[in-house]
Structures are given as C-alpha cells and as structure tokens.
Amino acid sequence: MAEQLIIGGVRREASDGATFDVTEPATGQVLTQVAKAGPADVDAALVAAHAAFADGRGTWARTNATARGRVLHRVAELLREREDLFATTEARGAGHPIGDARWEVGAAAGTFEYYAGAANKHFGQVVPVQDAGLDVVLREPVGPVALIVPWNFPLLIACWKLAPALACGNPVILKPASLTPLTALLLGDLLVEAGVPEDQVHVLPGPGGIVGDALVADPRTAKISFTGETTTGASILKASADHIARVSLELGGKSAAVVFADADIAAAAADTPMAVFGNAGQDCCARSRVLVERPVYDEFLAAFTATTEAIAVGDPLDTSTEMGPMISAGQRQTSLDYLEVGAAEGARLVCGGEVLDGPGFFLRPAVVADVDNSMRIAREEIFGPVVSVIPFDGEDEAITIANDSPYGLSGSLWTGSATRAIRVARSLRTGTLSVNTNRSVRFEAPFGGYKRSGLGRELGMGAMDAYTEVKNVFFSE
Ligand code: NDP
C-alpha cells in the first residue's frame, strides 16, 4: 500500500487516490509509492491550518512557550530513539551514506533541542516612547506556514524549518521534494506523537508545480520558507507577491574555498574534497570552486587529487561508504554534461567522472583543474561531484575571483595569517564563511545567502523573528 499523506495530523490517501513512485538512488528501482497530493489536498490542509490557527487564538499559538518547548524536546528525544529508522530511510530514499545519515538525524534532533530552548527566550520589548504610557513590542506567530524542502537533505532541511516555525506557535504545512518524501512523512507522524496538536501538522508530497504552486499562491499561506533552486525561488517570489506573503529563500551556490600559500596545505587538501564531494556534491554549500595561490597550486592539486581518488564510492548502507549515488539519472547526466562543457572550454580533467558499472546513479568524483573563473563550469551550479580548481596570484585576485559569482552562499578560507584571515573574511560577499575548516552550517548561527543565493536567514535566534510578526501596542496612561 502507498504511503499516505498527512492532513490534520492524520494519514490519508490523496483526495483523488493518486500516487507516485519513489526510486531508490542506489538501485534505480522503485522503493515504494506515495500519495500524490493535488489542489484539493492543498485546500484541505489550508482550511485545517487556518481553523487551527484561528487568527492567533488557536491552541498551539496560545500554548505557553515553555510548554511548546517541552513538546519540541520530546520531538528531539523521539528522533534520537528512532535514529536507525530515520537514517536507514534517508540512506535508501536519498542515497546518503549511512554514517552521514546518522549524523543528520542527530543534527535534526539538535535543531529541535535548540528551538525547544529558544521558545521561551524570544522576547518582545518595552520601548521608551515620548508619549505618556507604556509601549510594548509583542512577537506573535505569523500563521500557517508553507515549508518547501529540496531533495538533497530532506530530513535536516525540513527540521531547520519545522523547529522554529513550531516553537513560535505556527501551524506547519510541509511540502517535501517529490524525489524524497519518506522522512518528511515519518517526521509528521512523530510530531503528533510528541504532542504537537494534530491540527497543526500537514505533510503534502506532490509535484512542486501543483502542490508547491498552490500553497505559494494562496493568500491563506502567511509565510513561505523555501529551499531549492534559484529559479524556483524567483518564481515563488513572483507567485506570492500579490498576497504579500512573508518569504524566506535559501537558494543555490557556487562557493569558493580559497587556499593561500601560507596555509597548512596538507590539512586543506585533506579536508576540502569532502567539502565538495559530500552528498555526491549535491550540497548548496559545496566548495565547487577551489581557488589556490599559484606557488602551492601543483602541490595542493596533487594532494587534493590523491584524497579524492581515495574516496569510497558505493552502497549507502555500507558503513565504509563515503559517497553514495546521485539522486537520479538526470542529475548525474547534468554533471556529465558539465564535464564535457569544461573540456570544450579548455579545462583539464585530472581524475574521476566515470559512471560506475551496475545499477544506481553512481559517479566518481571529478577534479577539473586549470579552470578560468569565466568558464561555465566555474559560474553555474552543477550540483554534482565536480570541482573546478582555479589558480590565483595574491590576495586581491583571490577576493576578486571568489566574489565574481552570481551566488554568495558559503565558502572557506585557508591561511596561516590571522590578519589576512580578517581582511579576506571581511571582503568576501558570502553569507557563511569558515576559516581553516570547511564546515558551514551550525544550527545556533544564522545561515543564508548573499546575492542570488537567497533572501533572509535560517537557523539561530534570527529564525524566531522570521516566523513571527511584530506588534507594537501602546497603553495610554
Ligand atoms: P527545486 O527548486 O527544483 O525544488 C525544491 C522544492 O520546491 C521541491 O519540493 C519542489 O517540488 C518544489 N517546487 C518546485 N517547483 C515549485 C513551484 N513552482 N512552486 C513551489 N514549489 C516548487 O530544487 P531541488 O529540489 O532541485 O534542490 C536543489 C537546489 O536546492 C539546488 O539549486 C541547491 O543549491 C538548492 N539548495 C539550497 C540550499 C540553501 O540553503 N541555500 C540548501 C539545499 C539546496 P518537487 O520536488 O515536486 O519538484
């Protein structure tokens, strides 16, 4: 039987009984069927969410913040108890190596723990106005929120949105990517089991062009939090403009790791490959451009290539696997096409790019060297295991090349000089930057992009602002 969708916290079939197949990336075979929501299901979820919110007078919105926090703590506990189930489902449904998938379940639980604690620490203000009286600023839940999630980190990104949205008292309508709906549905059940009132919880798998579009265009959707492609984000901004929805967008990237000659080259070369090839390169923060100062270019490239060639590519359920399959044949073909584009542009393929024999959507990580930043492989988001290595001369040129991108999501800086680290960090136009490491996202800190990489920030305490309205009330003396 097909996995059912969730409206009002309850599993049910799509209103027209439609279903769609979910494919396992490691085998290329159908894993299961899932209910395919349509416009009638979107309407049912919005009706239920609106009734539940009741203009801010609904039970969850009025539940005191400490009690909401307790429920979110329970969500985290249940996630940790069910690590095996969630990790295995993510490994099979999204192709994540099982070790990574286990880490993601822990990070998802950590996100809920953080917002469990944040729920009763998101204060209003008292403003010293000149009129005689008391001026207070209240933070109120915004209303039904549409949370639209991509396929690359289905569980984790859903939790980055769900946890603050629920901490603030909003009903949630989660729209998972069609390629990876399974952990979102498990999560919907778990929220209800943890104590989130049923009428706050809706999970609608189904096509973005139908379900996503209907959610975005509907004036009953108070806020949209979207993660996905830049072009989809732009269309969401347009589609939601008429009803002035609150919108936050986490979009694509073409992030640079900048390696200066004074860096610990061995450490940078050992760490950076997985910063682009992790999750088979399907990571918005992937360091898909590696900029290397010319005096250490050959040394770095040799070490980087050796580390890349040693990456274990294979079955995501094997604990020794470091890189699993890509999500689909189409996504793999996109990477193969870009490798041809790079060759035609004059770049040099140093290693990788081979399709693995057998079933599944596997591709060996590819290192492309001697890339010029004007080439398409350096400018366009490939979203696959392909890295462009680009030489540079001196600090100014490094900054110019790193910033010469339509995107500005993430990045890293490797140097032995603290003063250079400060100068360059302040000059890079990117929302997240790591110095002498490549890890980008910490749920305690804001995350999001400059330029075409997004609008607004997720995570950290700032997300609590993003899921609330500000009300100013003046009490006359
Ligand atoms: P898409 O933009 O294609 O899809 C993202 C989600 O939006 C999916 O749930 C999709 O549904 C839905 N969607 C598609 N069309 C519409 C529409 N017209 N209206 C509303 N929703 C719609 O991105 P991908 O899933 O391909 O994800 C990869 C992209 O996400 C990459 O570009 C990557 O850089 C970016 N990304 C950004 C991150 C960030 O934080 N900045 C983090 C992770 C990824 P369906 O699956 O049914 O098509």
Side-chain angles (χ1 to χ4, degrees), residues 363-397:
L363 181 66
R364 286 209 179 278
V367 178
V368 183
D370 307 346
V371 174
D372 185 282
N373 199 53
S374 62
M375 294 178 183
R376 277 184 62 203
I377 48 166
R379 305 204 69 77
E380 298 173 16
E381 184 179 46
I382 299 174
F383 224 57
V386 178
V387 71
S388 296
V389 186
I390 304 172
F392 71 84
D393 291 299
E395 199 173 297
D396 279 348
E397 194 184 24

Side-chain angles (χ1 to χ4, degrees), residues 42 146 148 175 204 206-218 224 236 239:
V42 173
I148 305 178
K175 160 41 195 126
L204 299 180
I210 297 173
V211 176
D213 220 31
L215 280 171
V216 163
D218 198 297
I224 300 149
I236 285 175

Side-chain angles (χ1 to χ4, degrees), residues 97-100 274 310-324:
I98 188 74
D100 294 359
M274 284 314 281
I311 291 173
V313 182
D315 178 2
L317 293 172
D318 182 335
T319 51
S320 64
T321 293
E322 294 171 287
M323 192 180 125

